[in-house]
Amino acid sequence: ILLSVKTTQGQDTSKTCKRGLKVATWNIAAINNNPFEYWITYPDPKYIELMNGVQEFVSTPGTMDVAVHQVFSDEMAKQ
């Protein structure tokens, strides 16, 4: 198995592996840090309920909708 990865500095980090390779990946270059952006299929009713609830809130926040400056002050931004 030849594993080839280019670093952010453009370096090639090719490695040869003689044994099996188990790999997991995550989109670390996402535009935002919203964990609810990526909805996977998972057959647990509680998970489906959670994700549906989050989507409902995002779509129609109602009285829970607040402006960013109400929770993130200018002073906080300076830090």
Side-chain angles (χ1 to χ4, degrees):
I1 297 172
L2 175 64
L3 176 63
S4 180
V5 177
K6 289 220 184 242
T7 66
T8 55
Q9 293 81 26
Q11 299 165 319
D12 188 350
T13 59
S14 296
K15 300 288 182 195
T16 301
C17 179
K18 295 181 181 176
R19 296 179 290 167
L21 184 63
K22 293 182 181 181
V23 178
T25 183
W26 186 258
N27 180 6
I28 59 173
I31 300 301
N32 62 53
N33 295 324
N34 179 1
F36 298 106
E37 181 177 356
Y38 306 99
W39 186 332
I40 62 169
T41 300
Y42 185 65
D44 182 334
K46 292 288 187 185
Y47 174 79
I48 296 168
E49 180 182 357
L50 169 68
M51 296 307 283
N52 281 329
V54 170
Q55 183 59 56
E56 179 66 25
F57 175 74
V58 169
S59 297
T60 55
T63 60
M64 300 278 295
D65 195 10
V66 296
V68 171
H69 75 271
Q70 291 177 277
V71 292
F72 190 78
S73 68
D74 290 339
E75 187 60 36
M76 292 167 77
K78 291 176 187 174
Q79 295 178 8

mmCIF file of all heavy atoms in Angstrom, residues 3-40:
data_model
loop_
_atom_site.group_PDB
_atom_site.id
_atom_site.type_symbol
_atom_site.label_atom_id
_atom_site.label_comp_id
_atom_site.label_asym_id
_atom_site.label_seq_id
_atom_site.Cartn_x
_atom_site.Cartn_y
_atom_site.Cartn_z
ATOM 1 N N LEU A 3 0.821 5.179 0.537
ATOM 2 C CA LEU A 3 0.025 6.284 1.062
ATOM 3 C C LEU A 3 0.758 7.566 0.729
ATOM 4 O O LEU A 3 1.911 7.735 1.104
ATOM 5 C CB LEU A 3 -0.148 6.140 2.582
ATOM 6 C CG LEU A 3 -0.889 7.268 3.284
ATOM 7 C CD1 LEU A 3 -2.321 7.355 2.785
ATOM 8 C CD2 LEU A 3 -0.864 7.059 4.778
ATOM 9 N N SER A 4 0.108 8.445 0.016
ATOM 10 C CA SER A 4 0.741 9.694 -0.375
ATOM 11 C C SER A 4 -0.133 10.853 0.069
ATOM 12 O O SER A 4 -1.300 10.924 -0.290
ATOM 13 C CB SER A 4 0.941 9.747 -1.885
ATOM 14 O OG SER A 4 1.562 10.961 -2.251
ATOM 15 N N VAL A 5 0.432 11.745 0.859
ATOM 16 C CA VAL A 5 -0.290 12.902 1.370
ATOM 17 C C VAL A 5 0.583 14.127 1.178
ATOM 18 O O VAL A 5 1.768 14.098 1.473
ATOM 19 C CB VAL A 5 -0.617 12.731 2.875
ATOM 20 C CG1 VAL A 5 -1.290 13.974 3.415
ATOM 21 C CG2 VAL A 5 -1.476 11.509 3.099
ATOM 22 N N LYS A 6 0.007 15.190 0.673
ATOM 23 C CA LYS A 6 0.747 16.442 0.572
ATOM 24 C C LYS A 6 0.362 17.312 1.756
ATOM 25 O O LYS A 6 -0.808 17.474 2.065
ATOM 26 C CB LYS A 6 0.424 17.158 -0.728
ATOM 27 C CG LYS A 6 1.001 16.472 -1.928
ATOM 28 C CD LYS A 6 1.524 17.469 -2.900
ATOM 29 C CE LYS A 6 2.007 16.731 -4.136
ATOM 30 N NZ LYS A 6 3.371 16.895 -4.389
ATOM 31 N N THR A 7 1.361 17.861 2.431
ATOM 32 C CA THR A 7 1.100 18.728 3.565
ATOM 33 C C THR A 7 0.688 20.103 3.069
ATOM 34 O O THR A 7 0.801 20.408 1.882
ATOM 35 C CB THR A 7 2.356 18.863 4.450
ATOM 36 O OG1 THR A 7 3.363 19.556 3.712
ATOM 37 C CG2 THR A 7 2.874 17.504 4.888
ATOM 38 N N THR A 8 0.237 20.953 3.989
ATOM 39 C CA THR A 8 -0.152 22.310 3.601
ATOM 40 C C THR A 8 1.046 23.105 3.108
ATOM 41 O O THR A 8 0.894 24.107 2.430
ATOM 42 C CB THR A 8 -0.814 23.050 4.781
ATOM 43 O OG1 THR A 8 0.068 23.029 5.894
ATOM 44 C CG2 THR A 8 -2.142 22.435 5.127
ATOM 45 N N GLN A 9 2.266 22.651 3.430
ATOM 46 C CA GLN A 9 3.483 23.303 2.945
ATOM 47 C C GLN A 9 3.927 22.718 1.608
ATOM 48 O O GLN A 9 4.962 23.078 1.079
ATOM 49 C CB GLN A 9 4.631 23.155 3.964
ATOM 50 C CG GLN A 9 4.409 23.910 5.261
ATOM 51 C CD GLN A 9 3.494 23.156 6.223
ATOM 52 O OE1 GLN A 9 3.393 21.940 6.169
ATOM 53 N NE2 GLN A 9 2.821 23.887 7.083
ATOM 54 N N GLY A 10 3.148 21.772 1.055
ATOM 55 C CA GLY A 10 3.453 21.184 -0.231
ATOM 56 C C GLY A 10 4.425 20.023 -0.187
ATOM 57 O O GLY A 10 4.835 19.508 -1.211
ATOM 58 N N GLN A 11 4.802 19.559 1.007
ATOM 59 C CA GLN A 11 5.732 18.446 1.125
ATOM 60 C C GLN A 11 4.998 17.137 0.843
ATOM 61 O O GLN A 11 3.882 16.935 1.275
ATOM 62 C CB GLN A 11 6.340 18.391 2.526
ATOM 63 C CG GLN A 11 7.121 19.626 2.890
ATOM 64 C CD GLN A 11 7.400 19.687 4.384
ATOM 65 O OE1 GLN A 11 6.552 19.378 5.189
ATOM 66 N NE2 GLN A 11 8.603 20.104 4.727
ATOM 67 N N ASP A 12 5.678 16.239 0.109
ATOM 68 C CA ASP A 12 5.107 14.927 -0.171
ATOM 69 C C ASP A 12 5.531 13.990 0.948
ATOM 70 O O ASP A 12 6.713 13.841 1.227
ATOM 71 C CB ASP A 12 5.609 14.417 -1.519
ATOM 72 C CG ASP A 12 4.903 13.137 -1.950
ATOM 73 O OD1 ASP A 12 4.176 12.551 -1.140
ATOM 74 O OD2 ASP A 12 5.099 12.742 -3.104
ATOM 75 N N THR A 13 4.570 13.358 1.610
ATOM 76 C CA THR A 13 4.875 12.469 2.733
ATOM 77 C C THR A 13 4.534 11.034 2.378
ATOM 78 O O THR A 13 3.923 10.320 3.167
ATOM 79 C CB THR A 13 4.108 12.914 3.996
ATOM 80 O OG1 THR A 13 2.717 12.890 3.704
ATOM 81 C CG2 THR A 13 4.498 14.302 4.430
ATOM 82 N N SER A 14 4.923 10.594 1.188
ATOM 83 C CA SER A 14 4.625 9.234 0.740
ATOM 84 C C SER A 14 5.280 8.214 1.651
ATOM 85 O O SER A 14 6.430 8.352 2.048
ATOM 86 C CB SER A 14 5.134 9.022 -0.689
ATOM 87 O OG SER A 14 4.459 9.871 -1.571
ATOM 88 N N LYS A 15 4.529 7.176 1.986
ATOM 89 C CA LYS A 15 5.019 6.092 2.838
ATOM 90 C C LYS A 15 4.520 4.777 2.259
ATOM 91 O O LYS A 15 3.434 4.703 1.708
ATOM 92 C CB LYS A 15 4.499 6.223 4.278
ATOM 93 C CG LYS A 15 4.887 7.505 4.974
ATOM 94 C CD LYS A 15 6.339 7.513 5.333
ATOM 95 C CE LYS A 15 6.651 8.811 6.076
ATOM 96 N NZ LYS A 15 8.013 9.102 6.192
ATOM 97 N N THR A 16 5.314 3.743 2.404
ATOM 98 C CA THR A 16 4.899 2.409 1.996
ATOM 99 C C THR A 16 4.567 1.605 3.238
ATOM 100 O O THR A 16 5.309 1.633 4.214
ATOM 101 C CB THR A 16 6.017 1.703 1.207
ATOM 102 O OG1 THR A 16 6.319 2.494 0.065
ATOM 103 C CG2 THR A 16 5.585 0.322 0.760
ATOM 104 N N CYS A 17 3.448 0.907 3.205
ATOM 105 C CA CYS A 17 2.994 0.110 4.341
ATOM 106 C C CYS A 17 2.855 -1.335 3.883
ATOM 107 O O CYS A 17 2.126 -1.625 2.940
ATOM 108 C CB CYS A 17 1.645 0.647 4.836
ATOM 109 S SG CYS A 17 0.974 -0.289 6.211
ATOM 110 N N LYS A 18 3.560 -2.241 4.543
ATOM 111 C CA LYS A 18 3.507 -3.650 4.162
ATOM 112 C C LYS A 18 2.357 -4.381 4.845
ATOM 113 O O LYS A 18 2.001 -5.476 4.469
ATOM 114 C CB LYS A 18 4.838 -4.320 4.488
ATOM 115 C CG LYS A 18 5.964 -3.762 3.652
ATOM 116 C CD LYS A 18 7.269 -4.421 3.954
ATOM 117 C CE LYS A 18 8.330 -3.759 3.083
ATOM 118 N NZ LYS A 18 9.646 -4.228 3.318
ATOM 119 N N ARG A 19 1.794 -3.799 5.877
ATOM 120 C CA ARG A 19 0.647 -4.394 6.563
ATOM 121 C C ARG A 19 -0.621 -3.688 6.119
ATOM 122 O O ARG A 19 -0.579 -2.710 5.400
ATOM 123 C CB ARG A 19 0.826 -4.248 8.077
ATOM 124 C CG ARG A 19 2.033 -5.013 8.597
ATOM 125 C CD ARG A 19 2.201 -4.828 10.065
ATOM 126 N NE ARG A 19 2.624 -3.437 10.285
ATOM 127 C CZ ARG A 19 2.635 -2.842 11.453
ATOM 128 N NH1 ARG A 19 2.240 -3.470 12.516
ATOM 129 N NH2 ARG A 19 3.046 -1.612 11.572
ATOM 130 N N GLY A 20 -1.758 -4.179 6.578
ATOM 131 C CA GLY A 20 -3.027 -3.534 6.265
ATOM 132 C C GLY A 20 -3.070 -2.120 6.824
ATOM 133 O O GLY A 20 -2.356 -1.773 7.757
ATOM 134 N N LEU A 21 -3.921 -1.318 6.274
ATOM 135 C CA LEU A 21 -4.032 0.068 6.678
ATOM 136 C C LEU A 21 -5.495 0.380 6.950
ATOM 137 O O LEU A 21 -6.353 0.149 6.101
ATOM 138 C CB LEU A 21 -3.489 0.970 5.563
ATOM 139 C CG LEU A 21 -3.425 2.448 5.801
ATOM 140 C CD1 LEU A 21 -2.466 2.763 6.942
ATOM 141 C CD2 LEU A 21 -2.964 3.152 4.531
ATOM 142 N N LYS A 22 -5.794 0.877 8.147
ATOM 143 C CA LYS A 22 -7.147 1.306 8.479
ATOM 144 C C LYS A 22 -7.123 2.826 8.543
ATOM 145 O O LYS A 22 -6.297 3.399 9.256
ATOM 146 C CB LYS A 22 -7.586 0.733 9.828
ATOM 147 C CG LYS A 22 -7.749 -0.777 9.792
ATOM 148 C CD LYS A 22 -8.228 -1.296 11.118
ATOM 149 C CE LYS A 22 -8.361 -2.807 11.049
ATOM 150 N NZ LYS A 22 -8.836 -3.367 12.309
ATOM 151 N N VAL A 23 -8.033 3.456 7.825
ATOM 152 C CA VAL A 23 -8.004 4.903 7.694
ATOM 153 C C VAL A 23 -9.393 5.478 7.934
ATOM 154 O O VAL A 23 -10.385 4.905 7.509
ATOM 155 C CB VAL A 23 -7.517 5.310 6.281
ATOM 156 C CG1 VAL A 23 -7.528 6.810 6.113
ATOM 157 C CG2 VAL A 23 -6.135 4.753 6.018
ATOM 158 N N ALA A 24 -9.432 6.604 8.611
ATOM 159 C CA ALA A 24 -10.660 7.377 8.761
ATOM 160 C C ALA A 24 -10.344 8.802 8.349
ATOM 161 O O ALA A 24 -9.221 9.271 8.531
ATOM 162 C CB ALA A 24 -11.156 7.342 10.200
ATOM 163 N N THR A 25 -11.311 9.480 7.793
ATOM 164 C CA THR A 25 -11.072 10.857 7.376
ATOM 165 C C THR A 25 -12.256 11.728 7.793
ATOM 166 O O THR A 25 -13.365 11.248 7.978
ATOM 167 C CB THR A 25 -10.846 10.941 5.854
ATOM 168 O OG1 THR A 25 -10.549 12.298 5.510
ATOM 169 C CG2 THR A 25 -12.045 10.465 5.085
ATOM 170 N N TRP A 26 -11.988 12.985 7.942
ATOM 171 C CA TRP A 26 -13.018 13.949 8.298
ATOM 172 C C TRP A 26 -12.742 15.209 7.512
ATOM 173 O O TRP A 26 -11.584 15.568 7.294
ATOM 174 C CB TRP A 26 -12.974 14.232 9.803
ATOM 175 C CG TRP A 26 -14.102 15.113 10.261
ATOM 176 C CD1 TRP A 26 -14.028 16.439 10.542
ATOM 177 C CD2 TRP A 26 -15.458 14.745 10.465
ATOM 178 N NE1 TRP A 26 -15.263 16.916 10.906
ATOM 179 C CE2 TRP A 26 -16.152 15.892 10.874
ATOM 180 C CE3 TRP A 26 -16.141 13.550 10.332
ATOM 181 C CZ2 TRP A 26 -17.509 15.873 11.157
ATOM 182 C CZ3 TRP A 26 -17.494 13.549 10.622
ATOM 183 C CH2 TRP A 26 -18.161 14.695 11.031
ATOM 184 N N ASN A 27 -13.767 15.894 7.097
ATOM 185 C CA ASN A 27 -13.606 17.123 6.325
ATOM 186 C C ASN A 27 -13.180 18.247 7.269
ATOM 187 O O ASN A 27 -14.003 18.985 7.785
ATOM 188 C CB ASN A 27 -14.918 17.464 5.627
ATOM 189 C CG ASN A 27 -14.803 18.729 4.811
ATOM 190 O OD1 ASN A 27 -13.728 19.300 4.677
ATOM 191 N ND2 ASN A 27 -15.912 19.179 4.270
ATOM 192 N N ILE A 28 -11.867 18.367 7.489
ATOM 193 C CA ILE A 28 -11.379 19.386 8.417
ATOM 194 C C ILE A 28 -11.292 20.760 7.765
ATOM 195 O O ILE A 28 -10.972 21.737 8.422
ATOM 196 C CB ILE A 28 -10.016 19.003 9.028
ATOM 197 C CG1 ILE A 28 -8.969 18.809 7.931
ATOM 198 C CG2 ILE A 28 -10.148 17.757 9.888
ATOM 199 C CD1 ILE A 28 -7.571 18.600 8.455
ATOM 200 N N ALA A 29 -11.587 20.830 6.488
ATOM 201 C CA ALA A 29 -11.522 22.106 5.787
ATOM 202 C C ALA A 29 -12.908 22.708 5.585
ATOM 203 O O ALA A 29 -13.099 23.533 4.720
ATOM 204 C CB ALA A 29 -10.829 21.921 4.439
ATOM 205 N N ALA A 30 -13.864 22.294 6.388
ATOM 206 C CA ALA A 30 -15.224 22.814 6.242
ATOM 207 C C ALA A 30 -15.241 24.322 6.474
ATOM 208 O O ALA A 30 -14.444 24.863 7.234
ATOM 209 C CB ALA A 30 -16.158 22.119 7.228
ATOM 210 N N ILE A 31 -16.161 24.986 5.836
ATOM 211 C CA ILE A 31 -16.287 26.431 5.952
ATOM 212 C C ILE A 31 -16.677 26.841 7.367
ATOM 213 O O ILE A 31 -16.275 27.864 7.868
ATOM 214 C CB ILE A 31 -17.332 26.960 4.944
ATOM 215 C CG1 ILE A 31 -16.908 26.630 3.508
ATOM 216 C CG2 ILE A 31 -17.551 28.447 5.118
ATOM 217 C CD1 ILE A 31 -15.566 27.189 3.093
ATOM 218 N N ASN A 32 -17.450 26.023 8.050
ATOM 219 C CA ASN A 32 -17.872 26.376 9.407
ATOM 220 C C ASN A 32 -17.681 25.180 10.344
ATOM 221 O O ASN A 32 -17.295 24.105 9.918
ATOM 222 C CB ASN A 32 -19.325 26.855 9.411
ATOM 223 C CG ASN A 32 -20.267 25.773 8.944
ATOM 224 O OD1 ASN A 32 -20.250 24.663 9.458
ATOM 225 N ND2 ASN A 32 -21.099 26.075 7.963
ATOM 226 N N ASN A 33 -17.946 25.390 11.595
ATOM 227 C CA ASN A 33 -17.769 24.346 12.613
ATOM 228 C C ASN A 33 -19.099 23.749 13.051
ATOM 229 O O ASN A 33 -19.247 23.348 14.190
ATOM 230 C CB ASN A 33 -17.043 24.924 13.825
ATOM 231 C CG ASN A 33 -15.647 25.350 13.480
ATOM 232 O OD1 ASN A 33 -14.990 24.717 12.673
ATOM 233 N ND2 ASN A 33 -15.179 26.426 14.082
ATOM 234 N N ASN A 34 -20.069 23.709 12.175
ATOM 235 C CA ASN A 34 -21.400 23.230 12.508
ATOM 236 C C ASN A 34 -21.448 21.703 12.405
ATOM 237 O O ASN A 34 -21.496 21.163 11.304
ATOM 238 C CB ASN A 34 -22.419 23.863 11.561
ATOM 239 C CG ASN A 34 -23.828 23.394 11.834
ATOM 240 O OD1 ASN A 34 -24.062 22.608 12.742
ATOM 241 N ND2 ASN A 34 -24.766 23.860 11.038
ATOM 242 N N PRO A 35 -21.457 20.992 13.531
ATOM 243 C CA PRO A 35 -21.488 19.527 13.459
ATOM 244 C C PRO A 35 -22.797 18.988 12.905
ATOM 245 O O PRO A 35 -22.871 17.839 12.502
ATOM 246 C CB PRO A 35 -21.312 19.099 14.920
ATOM 247 C CG PRO A 35 -21.832 20.248 15.708
ATOM 248 C CD PRO A 35 -21.492 21.483 14.903
ATOM 249 N N PHE A 36 -23.833 19.817 12.858
ATOM 250 C CA PHE A 36 -25.125 19.363 12.354
ATOM 251 C C PHE A 36 -25.225 19.528 10.840
ATOM 252 O O PHE A 36 -26.226 19.179 10.236
ATOM 253 C CB PHE A 36 -26.255 20.110 13.058
ATOM 254 C CG PHE A 36 -26.267 19.850 14.530
ATOM 255 C CD1 PHE A 36 -25.837 20.813 15.425
ATOM 256 C CD2 PHE A 36 -26.670 18.622 15.037
ATOM 257 C CE1 PHE A 36 -25.828 20.558 16.784
ATOM 258 C CE2 PHE A 36 -26.663 18.359 16.390
ATOM 259 C CZ PHE A 36 -26.238 19.333 17.269
ATOM 260 N N GLU A 37 -24.186 20.066 10.216
ATOM 261 C CA GLU A 37 -24.200 20.243 8.766
ATOM 262 C C GLU A 37 -24.129 18.896 8.041
ATOM 263 O O GLU A 37 -24.610 18.762 6.938
ATOM 264 C CB GLU A 37 -23.012 21.116 8.350
ATOM 265 C CG GLU A 37 -22.948 21.377 6.877
ATOM 266 C CD GLU A 37 -21.808 22.294 6.488
ATOM 267 O OE1 GLU A 37 -21.095 22.799 7.370
ATOM 268 O OE2 GLU A 37 -21.623 22.490 5.287
ATOM 269 N N TYR A 38 -23.512 17.928 8.664
ATOM 270 C CA TYR A 38 -23.297 16.635 8.036
ATOM 271 C C TYR A 38 -24.192 15.592 8.698
ATOM 272 O O TYR A 38 -23.860 15.026 9.713
ATOM 273 C CB TYR A 38 -21.826 16.238 8.146
ATOM 274 C CG TYR A 38 -20.942 17.325 7.600
ATOM 275 C CD1 TYR A 38 -20.310 18.228 8.448
ATOM 276 C CD2 TYR A 38 -20.795 17.483 6.235
ATOM 277 C CE1 TYR A 38 -19.529 19.240 7.936
ATOM 278 C CE2 TYR A 38 -20.010 18.497 5.720
ATOM 279 C CZ TYR A 38 -19.384 19.368 6.575
ATOM 280 O OH TYR A 38 -18.617 20.371 6.068
ATOM 281 N N TRP A 39 -25.334 15.358 8.131
ATOM 282 C CA TRP A 39 -26.322 14.436 8.673
ATOM 283 C C TRP A 39 -26.066 13.070 8.064
ATOM 284 O O TRP A 39 -26.167 12.886 6.865
ATOM 285 C CB TRP A 39 -27.704 14.940 8.323
ATOM 286 C CG TRP A 39 -28.839 14.186 8.931
ATOM 287 C CD1 TRP A 39 -28.871 12.869 9.295
ATOM 288 C CD2 TRP A 39 -30.129 14.700 9.237
ATOM 289 N NE1 TRP A 39 -30.086 12.537 9.809
ATOM 290 C CE2 TRP A 39 -30.886 13.647 9.780
ATOM 291 C CE3 TRP A 39 -30.713 15.935 9.107
ATOM 292 C CZ2 TRP A 39 -32.188 13.801 10.186
ATOM 293 C CZ3 TRP A 39 -32.015 16.086 9.511
ATOM 294 C CH2 TRP A 39 -32.748 15.037 10.047
ATOM 295 N N ILE A 40 -25.731 12.114 8.896
ATOM 296 C CA ILE A 40 -25.480 10.762 8.408
ATOM 297 C C ILE A 40 -26.714 9.897 8.633
ATOM 298 O O ILE A 40 -27.604 10.256 9.394
ATOM 299 C CB ILE A 40 -24.263 10.122 9.109
ATOM 300 C CG1 ILE A 40 -24.519 9.982 10.613
ATOM 301 C CG2 ILE A 40 -23.007 10.910 8.837
ATOM 302 C CD1 ILE A 40 -23.490 9.128 11.331
#
